Amino acid sequence: MAIYASTALSCTIGGVDLSDHITRVSLNTSADEIDTTAFGDSQRTLIGGLQSGSVSIDFHNDFASSEVYATLAATGLGSAAAVVVKPNSGTTSATNPSKTASCLITELPFLDDSVGELGTISVTWPISGAIVTATS
């Protein structure tokens, strides 16, 4: 896969494919900076510490069975869900890798609507544990 326009992203939550209701996914990771500077050093020195991450998703809201709200509510606030994302819906490969993360469902919006606007919800969930990358 080369440079691409994101038109067929794949995202499953708890094994349910919600890709057709998602308009944005962002999976971010970071590492803590640990200062190792000692007396006599003229420049700061750092090492990487604990890693953390989060997944942010924007949904077109839908209350039907096996759709957005029903899937997220069934998982349960305060529970973990496997979130799997990949650049497109094709087979997982070196050019279409998948990332799997266990996300803690810390928020579950019911509505975020305005008059005459599309019903949407947005979430940002912390990742618990390591992110697994698959290429086959």
Side-chain angles (χ1 to χ4, degrees):
M1 176 187 250
I3 296 171
Y4 68 101
S6 187
T7 60
L9 182 131
S10 173
C11 181
T12 62
I13 299 172
V16 178
D17 187 351
L18 296 175
S19 303
D20 63 344
H21 284 68
I22 294 174
T23 61
R24 186 185 69 84
V25 174
S26 176
L27 189 154
N28 294 298
T29 56
S30 63
D32 292 341
E33 296 176 13
I34 299 175
D35 192 330
T36 57
T37 310
F39 289 115
D41 290 341
S42 61
Q43 297 288 321
R44 289 212 176 272
T45 58
L46 304 167
I47 61 170
L50 293 175
Q51 296 180 15
S52 61
S54 65
V55 173
S56 297
I57 306 172
D58 294 343
F59 297 95
H60 291 163
N61 206 359
D62 188 337
F63 295 98
S65 176
S66 296
E67 295 298 350
V68 175
Y69 189 78
T71 298
L72 302 182
T75 300
L77 195 60
S79 297
V83 176
V84 182
V85 296
K86 55 186 179 172
N88 71 60
S89 58
T91 303
T92 300
S93 66
T95 58
N96 190 36
S98 70
K99 298 274 187 179
T100 302
S102 177
C103 293
L104 181 61
I105 309 302
T106 56
E107 58 181 332
L108 178 56
F110 181 65
L111 294 171
D112 188 10
D113 297 351
S114 298
V115 173
E117 298 290 327
L118 182 66
T120 62
I121 60 172
S122 298
V123 299
T124 299
W125 298 323
I127 295 171
S128 177
I131 298 171
V132 177
T133 302
T135 57
S136 62

